[in-house]
Amino acid sequence: MSILQSWPEPIVRVQSLSESGIRKIPDYFIKPPSDRPFNITDTKTTSINIPLIDLENLNSPNEFVRKETIDGIANACREWGFFQVANHGVSHELMEKTRVVWHEFFQLSLEEKQKFANSPVTYEGYGSRIGTEVGAKLDWCDYFFLHYLPEALRDENKWPRLPVSCRKLVSEYGQELVKLSKRLTTILSIGLGLNEDYIHQSFGGNKETSACLRANFYPKCPQPDLTHGLSPHSDPGGITLLLPDTDIPGLQIRRGNNWLTVNPIPNAFIVNIGDQVQVLSNAIYKSVEHRVIVNSKKERLSLAFFYNPGGDKLIKPAHQLVTKDCPALYSPMTFNEYRSFIRTKGLTGKCQIESLKSPR
């Protein structure tokens, strides 16, 4: 598959549009009526408290408490595909400093941010669109994307040089989230009845597992009923750890025919299952469709940390979870092949993972 070296259309920074004082958003941000977040035919939207897991309970001397915590996460992955974790071991001060430094980055001059403008080759850097389709409907979001793992891909010279503390904080933050991600994959493996390192090793272990960070900036939008911050999708990778903006909720998850707005808990991470873990679990754990809405009152910022298999790792249902009554639902495919597959097919939402199911 050929990859464009540059964007097919001029890039317009969403933040610049928002700050220009426009009252109507350009047509290329306006979603079709059936896809708009608040159209009159949309199903009911309400706020919800997704399962909250206290990871401190895993240190309890009481075996029942530890088992109850692991079961709580497994049940959340089966029923919701999302949960929040508190007392996770990541310093609250580090979380806040990292959030602040990214907010400061997006307040820098456009000239400074443009020094890190990205391209469709790797998406690494400062960007405002995903995908290279000409005439595509865009999302109301600017972002900064960077690689953290494997170390061969990590290049701190491609990270923002301003604010001056950014590179150091991002490095420390990434290190802590890798630790937390490993811990979570251990719990997810145990919850499936697998060896505790099954998912971690399937991802490539300490040398091949990949991780990346996307800082999402959602400027104020004069017509939030016509567009999305991020369009409906499921995450193609392993697991995602989201540090949300707790002032104004924006993340929505699909549950049945409804879109539910997640109420973020201060100092907690929102964790969701990606497509690769759904495959590994043979669809016991669910990768759930979600989207982000915007508002006209206040800008928002969130940090999404993606913990994924190495690109060349072959992902398939764990053989322990495949039986005569529960055959393998997915054919083996590397993570790179999967990403190429969904790009080539132009798949979105849950279509991308559902399209992989083997004929029965």
Side-chain angles (χ1 to χ4, degrees):
M1 177 184 175
S2 62
I3 299 177
L4 289 179
Q5 299 297 308
S6 59
W7 300 107
E9 299 167 316
I11 294 295
V12 178
R13 300 304 181 189
V14 180
Q15 185 177 2
S16 297
L17 277 176
S18 175
E19 293 175 352
S20 72
I22 61 171
R23 295 187 178 184
K24 292 185 178 181
I25 62 176
D27 289 345
Y28 47 84
F29 289 103
I30 299 177
K31 308 297 182 180
S34 60
D35 294 339
R36 295 173 190 172
F38 304 112
N39 71 77
I40 59 174
T41 61
D42 200 4
T43 50
K44 182 180 179 182
T45 301
T46 187
S47 295
I48 192 70
N49 294 317
I50 58 175
L52 175 63
I53 308 296
D54 185 348
L55 292 187
E56 181 64 29
N57 289 335
L58 292 173
N59 300 322
S60 172
N62 189 318
E63 182 180 355
F64 175 78
V65 173
R66 297 196 302 272
K67 183 178 184 304
E68 189 177 50
T69 303
I70 293 172
D71 290 345
I73 290 178
N75 289 335
C77 294
R78 288 179 168 92
E79 297 297 323
W80 289 89
F82 276 80
F83 56 96
Q84 297 193 66
V85 290
N87 294 320
H88 38 65
V90 181
S91 160
H92 295 173
E93 181 182 10
L94 177 60
M95 293 165 67
E96 182 59 22
K97 284 183 176 180
T98 306
R99 194 201 322 262
V100 168
V101 82
W102 278 113
H103 190 272
E104 290 175 348
F105 167 78
F106 284 105
Q107 302 308 314
L108 294 173
S109 69
L110 181 59
E111 179 183 13
E112 178 63 32
K113 290 179 289 191
Q114 283 292 110
K115 294 176 183 177
F116 297 91
N118 70 354
S119 76
V121 178
T122 66
Y123 283 89
E124 194 166 12
Y126 174 54
S128 298
R129 70 175 291 165
I130 298 175
T132 56
E133 179 186 352
V134 176
K137 296 296 184 181
L138 305 182
D139 290 334
W140 193 262
C141 177
D142 294 330
Y143 64 86
F144 197 103
F145 178 82
L146 59 86
H147 291 292
Y148 193 81
L149 290 178
E151 289 189 8
L153 282 181
R154 183 166 70 209
D155 184 354
E156 296 190 11
N157 290 320
K158 295 181 179 179
W159 301 2
R161 67 179 187 86
L162 294 176
V164 291
S165 60
C166 186
R167 291 177 180 175
K168 181 175 183 293
L169 283 170
V170 169
S171 181
E172 293 176 359
Y173 182 80
Q175 183 178 7
E176 292 303 309
L177 263 67
V178 166
K179 292 179 185 177
L180 177 56
S181 297
K182 288 181 181 178
R183 190 180 184 194
L184 289 171
T185 58
T186 296
I187 299 169
L188 296 179
S189 296
I190 295 172
L192 291 168
L194 303 171
N195 290 335
E196 65 177 31
D197 66 344
Y198 185 89
I199 293 178
H200 177 60
Q201 292 303 325
S202 296
F203 280 13
N206 291 333
K207 292 186 177 180
E208 297 179 79
T209 297
S210 62
C212 48
L213 175 71
R214 177 176 150 138
N216 302 301
F217 186 77
Y218 305 104
K220 292 183 287 186
C221 179
Q223 294 178 296
D225 55 325
L226 299 182
T227 192
H228 291 116
L230 282 178
S231 294
H233 66 286
S234 62
D235 290 349
I239 61 172
T240 303
L241 280 65
L242 181 74
L243 180 59
D245 190 317
T246 56
D247 290 339
I248 300 181
L251 174 65
Q252 293 186 326
I253 62 176
R254 182 186 286 278
R255 189 163 172 83
N257 292 323
N258 296 329
W259 284 104
L260 307 178
T261 301
V262 176
N263 293 320
I265 304 298
N267 299 317
F269 287 103
I270 298 173
V271 181
N272 68 277
I273 298 300
D275 294 348
Q276 303 307 299
V277 170
Q278 177 168 319
V279 170
L280 282 170
S281 72
N282 207 27
I284 293 174
Y285 290 163
K286 303 299 190 292
S287 175
V288 172
E289 189 175 8
H290 50 286
R291 68 185 186 186
V292 175
I293 57 173
V294 291
N295 71 88
S296 61
K297 303 297 183 184
K298 187 177 180 182
E299 61 197 24
R300 295 180 57 253
L301 181 133
S302 68
L303 305 179
F305 189 83
F306 304 101
Y307 193 73
N308 300 327
D312 294 328
K313 300 304 294 183
L314 194 67
I315 303 298
K316 60 183 179 178
H319 69 86
Q320 299 94 324
L321 305 178
V322 176
T323 66
K324 182 179 179 180
D325 294 330
C326 298
L329 296 176
Y330 309 96
S331 299
M333 183 178 288
T334 68
F335 184 37
N336 280 343
E337 289 171 341
Y338 179 68
R339 288 185 289 191
S340 177
F341 172 77
I342 61 178
R343 283 197 300 263
T344 302
K345 298 291 185 181
L347 299 172
T348 58
K350 282 300 293 177
C351 294
Q352 55 192 40
I353 184 66
E354 294 303 317
S355 66
L356 281 187
K357 283 190 174 178
S358 304
R360 297 292 295 274

